[in-house]
Amino acid sequence: MQSNKISIKQFFKYLKIAVSGKEQDFTSGSIRRAVFMLSIPMILEMLMESIFAIVDIFYVSKVSVNAVATIGLTESVITLVYAVAIGLSMAATAIVARRIGEKDREGASQAAVQVIGLGVFVAAIISVIGILYPKEILQLMGGEPELIAEGYGYTQVLLGGNVTIMLLFLINAIFRGAGDASIAMWALVLSNGLNIILDPIFIFGLGPIPAYGVKGAAIATTIGRGTAVIFQLMVLFYGWSKIKVGFKDLVLRVAVMVNLIKVSLGGIGQFLIGTSSWVFLMRIMSEFGSEVLAGYTIAIRVMMFTLMPAWGMSNAAATLVGQNLGAKKPQRAEDSVWKTGKYSAIFMGLVSIIYLIFAPEIIAWFTQDTAVIENGALCLRIIAAGYVFYGYGMVIINAFNGSGDTKTPTWINFICFWLFQLPFAYLMALQFNFGPLGVFMAITIAEVLITIIGILWFKKGHWKSVNV
């Protein structure tokens, strides 16, 4: 009995340290403790990110089915922004973690500045396209005329302000690479708090603020994210983390930029393959009408809420791999990955049981439309059936990225998404008349394949010799 009390006491002690960000060195000591210290703030960070999606859907579902479907179509395009942001952030995490492991904080700061500059440049191009062509984008995605008329403002604001998405991702990746996961977490706590407060105000109106409808969700989210980015920049410039950026660092460093681009190209390609496949899947889903599209959108948002903790653990694995390779401890890096993968798989397995049993009730929290609930529940159950594989696979794939080997996951994604998932979804859904079920099956089987191939390749150990 006494030992249980001690373990519970230690748990809360470590939890407090993890959230406060006081832990310094992840290249020595207990691996389990290091995984815990990094994972807790990263899991909370990822949960905060998914709350954006849940809150938006909760309020927007009160507006109309078209409004929910608009978010689904826009998000499938925004994932292309995420692809670039996550691709660059993988490079940022890998390089910053490696420099921190080598005790080269100046090099980490220089890499941070270059990744932020590159992110702003890319975001500016996307903003112009989003502001000028929101209706055309929704039309291209198969949106019906009524949906486009009601929802194009959401697309315009979200894509026009995508710099907030880009920088929130990139700067948090810098903090994660440095081992400052708690700062990344607090940035998202701030942005989510504002989003929760502002969403109903801008969607339904309050006082002098008119009711913007679905567009209001985009305005609230952009303000929340933008405020968090300002907070992140203050942390970097005032030196409240392991990385401090000074005015002397605000210059173009060609060698650092080239290295960053080289590492990030694999990551960008990797996520462009993955996210573009989601775009095509959404296009197939649009063939079955707004109710099916809305059910799919709600189910994916709900799933993201529980996928994010697994992402948090996979990000912890990436940081541990990068820092331990920098400290010349490859075996510790590998052991960290296997342990983190096991924890992630256990968590995802428990979540899948809840989804399999209570799928209709969960979807019904967001809508009373019978057709939407039916399709959303089907999506939730089919995809949750592979959750244990997702949990392990995310950790393995992100471990490659943490080492700087972004090419291997790119090839794995190409094979599993483009060569298998898309043809399978098209044939099953449209040719063999399985409808939406065909798409859901394609998603689950592809993710299982990614995990199996990833584990087999990870065991070969080539990632240990990558230089960044």
Side-chain angles (χ1 to χ4, degrees), residues 45 48-49 52 163-172 175 183-195 198 220-236 240:
E45 177 198 347
M48 290 296 106
E49 182 64 37
F52 269 119
V163 69
T164 61
I165 299 172
M166 189 75 74
L167 290 185
L168 196 60
F169 262 100
L170 295 185
I171 301 175
N172 272 357
F175 290 142
I183 297 175
M185 176 195 73
W186 288 114
L188 282 172
V189 168
L190 172 63
S191 60
N192 264 292
L194 284 172
N195 188 52
L198 296 176
T221 299
T222 302
I223 292 173
R225 283 182 170 138
T227 305
V229 169
I230 293 169
F231 165 74
Q232 290 174 319
L233 292 172
M234 287 175 64
V235 171
L236 282 178
W240 298 334

Side-chain angles (χ1 to χ4, degrees), residues 18 21 37-39 41-42 45 175-176 178-186:
M37 290 297 178
L38 276 172
S39 291
M42 287 183 182
E45 177 198 347
F175 290 142
R176 285 195 296 270
D180 287 324
S182 63
I183 297 175
M185 176 195 73
W186 288 114

Side-chain angles (χ1 to χ4, degrees), residues 168-334:
L168 196 60
F169 262 100
L170 295 185
I171 301 175
N172 272 357
I174 291 164
F175 290 142
R176 285 195 296 270
D180 287 324
S182 63
I183 297 175
M185 176 195 73
W186 288 114
L188 282 172
V189 168
L190 172 63
S191 60
N192 264 292
L194 284 172
N195 188 52
I196 290 169
I197 294 168
L198 296 176
D199 244 351
I201 294 174
F202 282 98
I203 292 172
F204 306 113
L206 181 67
I209 300 173
Y212 286 100
V214 66
K215 182 180 178 180
I219 295 171
T221 299
T222 302
I223 292 173
R225 283 182 170 138
T227 305
V229 169
I230 293 169
F231 165 74
Q232 290 174 319
L233 292 172
M234 287 175 64
V235 171
L236 282 178
F237 277 96
Y238 283 98
W240 298 334
S241 73
K242 292 177 186 174
I243 295 178
K244 181 175 182 180
V245 173
F247 287 104
K248 62 179 174 55
D249 297 313
L250 301 180
V251 293
L252 175 65
R253 299 179 190 275
V254 177
V256 178
M257 180 67 82
V258 168
N259 188 34
L260 177 70
I261 292 172
K262 184 177 71 174
V263 176
S264 67
L265 279 177
I268 292 170
Q270 176 187 149
F271 276 84
L272 277 175
I273 289 168
T275 53
S276 61
S277 72
W278 277 100
V279 172
F280 286 114
L281 289 178
M282 186 63 83
R283 183 66 184 84
I284 294 171
M285 293 294 294
S286 70
E287 294 291 319
F288 304 108
S290 290
E291 286 84 5
V292 172
L293 201 58
Y296 175 68
T297 300
I298 292 171
I300 294 299
R301 289 301 182 91
V302 170
M303 288 175 53
M304 289 300 288
F305 191 75
T306 45
L307 281 172
M308 287 303 176
W311 265 115
M313 282 185 264
S314 74
N315 284 333
T319 298
L320 288 168
V321 167
Q323 290 197 7
N324 283 292
L325 288 181
K328 310 298 182 190
K329 296 180 178 180
Q331 187 56 50
R332 180 180 170 85
E334 182 175 348

